[in-house]
């Protein structure tokens, strides 16, 4: 897939505010500071499209970007960042769960995972919730340039093992590095195939 047009459409505080057209949503979510904005900019080829911040947890709204006038790339708030107040964290999780579980436009969800970390309980819990609710999703491991090929494979295998304790069939898994531009074509091809289903 080639992205020839990518433009910011709107930010929403609740799912009643998301675009009302029939274009499908391909959404991205992950723990704060996982590299979501950088990946979105890499995929769209537009450096300033999603705002990259040195402060984790900056995305607090559901951000829709209209791609090629045929689908939306959706930037969801990060989860699990401790520096926000409990009340705000509750709001984030409500925004996230409302969108993920109730938004009819959601066609596919990518959960971003930092490849350098041991499997995090919060990621595993979020993925478990997706499985329980039948939400179609895949996993993108970010920041793969920070590890050697062997370390990468070990890290992905650890994650597979952690998931295999609860899952019979594992979700699709892709890898990316925004710094080196790795994984862009594979992820866009995967999105292309999702949109055809």
């Amino acid at each position: 897939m080639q992205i020839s047009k990518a433009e910011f459409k709107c930010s929403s505080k609740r799912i009643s505010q998301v675009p009302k057209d029939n274009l499908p949503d391909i959404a991205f979510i992950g723990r704060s500071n996982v590299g979501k904005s950088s990946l979105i900019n890499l995929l769209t080829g537009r450096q300033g499209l999603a705002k990259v911040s040195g402060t984790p947890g900056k995305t607090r709204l559901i951000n829709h970007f209209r791609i090629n006038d045929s689908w939306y790339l959706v930037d969801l708030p990060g989860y699990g960042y401790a520096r926000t107040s409990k009340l705000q964290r509750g709001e984030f999780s409500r925004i996230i769960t409302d969108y993920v579980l109730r938004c009819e436009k959601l066609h596919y969800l990518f959960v971003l995972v930092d490849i350098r970390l041991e499997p995090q309980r919060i990621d595993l819990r979020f993925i478990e919730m997706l499985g329980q609710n039948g939400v179609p999703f895949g996993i993108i491991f970010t920041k793969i340039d920070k590890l050697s090929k062997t370390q990468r494979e070990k890290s992905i295998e650890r994650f597979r093992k952690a998931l295999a304790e609860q899952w019979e069939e594992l979700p699709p898994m892709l890898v990316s590095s925004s710094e080196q531009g790795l994984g862009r074509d594979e992820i866009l091809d995967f999105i292309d195939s999702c949109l055809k289903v």
Side-chain angles (χ1 to χ4, degrees), residues 113-117 141-144 147 152 155-156 158:
V113 172
D114 187 332
I115 198 163
R116 300 170 300 176
L117 305 177
F141 292 98
T142 62
K143 308 186 183 186
I144 63 164
L147 297 180
R152 270 181 230 167
S155 188
I156 293 170
R158 268 200 312 268

Side-chain angles (χ1 to χ4, degrees), residues 43 174-175 181-193:
L43 293 177
L174 299 153
V175 296
L182 301 173
R184 180 179 190 267
D185 293 345
E186 291 80 359
I187 294 167
L188 288 176
D189 288 348
F190 189 90
I191 291 172
D192 199 29
S193 63

Side-chain angles (χ1 to χ4, degrees), residues 16-34:
S16 60
Q17 298 172 328
V18 303
K20 298 288 187 285
D21 54 34
N22 57 4
L23 299 185
D25 284 4
I26 303 289
F28 289 75
I29 196 166
R31 290 172 72 238
S32 298
N33 212 22
V34 75

Side-chain angles (χ1 to χ4, degrees), residues 2 6 48-49 56 67 111 114 122 125-126 128 141 149 172-174 192:
Q2 293 298 317
L49 193 66
I67 308 295
V111 179
D114 187 332
I122 193 163
R125 278 211 326 265
F126 187 77
E128 186 183 350
F141 292 98
K149 194 165 185 286
M173 296 183 188
L174 299 153
D192 199 29

Side-chain angles (χ1 to χ4, degrees), residues 36-173:
K36 189 161 44 76
S37 300
S38 299
L39 178 63
I40 289 169
N41 292 336
L42 170 70
L43 293 177
T44 58
R46 298 259 316 269
Q47 268 326 298
L49 193 66
K51 298 290 180 275
V52 178
S53 166
T55 310
K58 270 294 196 206
T59 307
R60 298 184 178 187
L61 301 166
I62 301 164
N63 293 312
H64 275 74
F65 300 97
R66 191 175 168 117
I67 308 295
N68 293 349
D69 291 327
S70 61
W71 57 280
Y72 287 108
L73 189 159
V74 182
D75 184 7
L76 291 172
Y79 53 78
Y81 187 59
R83 259 210 204 126
T84 51
S85 70
K86 261 204 172 124
L87 178 68
Q88 280 183 315
R89 280 209 302 281
E91 277 174 17
F92 295 171
S93 61
R94 191 159 58 246
I95 289 173
I96 290 166
T97 51
D98 272 5
Y99 175 84
V100 168
L101 303 182
R102 292 177 44 224
C103 186
E104 291 174 6
K105 287 172 64 63
L106 177 61
H107 191 73
Y108 200 83
L109 178 69
F110 286 106
V111 179
L112 276 54
V113 172
D114 187 332
I115 198 163
R116 300 170 300 176
L117 305 177
E118 291 285 327
Q120 301 289 299
R121 204 165 119 241
I122 193 163
D123 289 327
L124 297 173
R125 278 211 326 265
F126 187 77
I127 287 167
E128 186 183 350
M129 180 195 78
L130 298 178
Q132 287 168 346
N133 288 279
V135 177
F137 77 97
I139 294 169
I140 298 177
F141 292 98
T142 62
K143 308 186 183 186
I144 63 164
D145 55 289
K146 310 292 187 204
L147 297 180
S148 69
K149 194 165 185 286
T150 310
Q151 288 171 319
R152 270 181 230 167
E153 285 164 6
K154 278 185 184 162
S155 188
I156 293 170
E157 192 49 41
R158 268 200 312 268
F159 208 86
R160 283 180 187 279
K161 274 192 179 143
L163 286 181
E165 291 173 16
Q166 291 182 315
W167 293 73
E168 283 178 28
E169 193 180 329
L170 297 180
M173 296 183 188

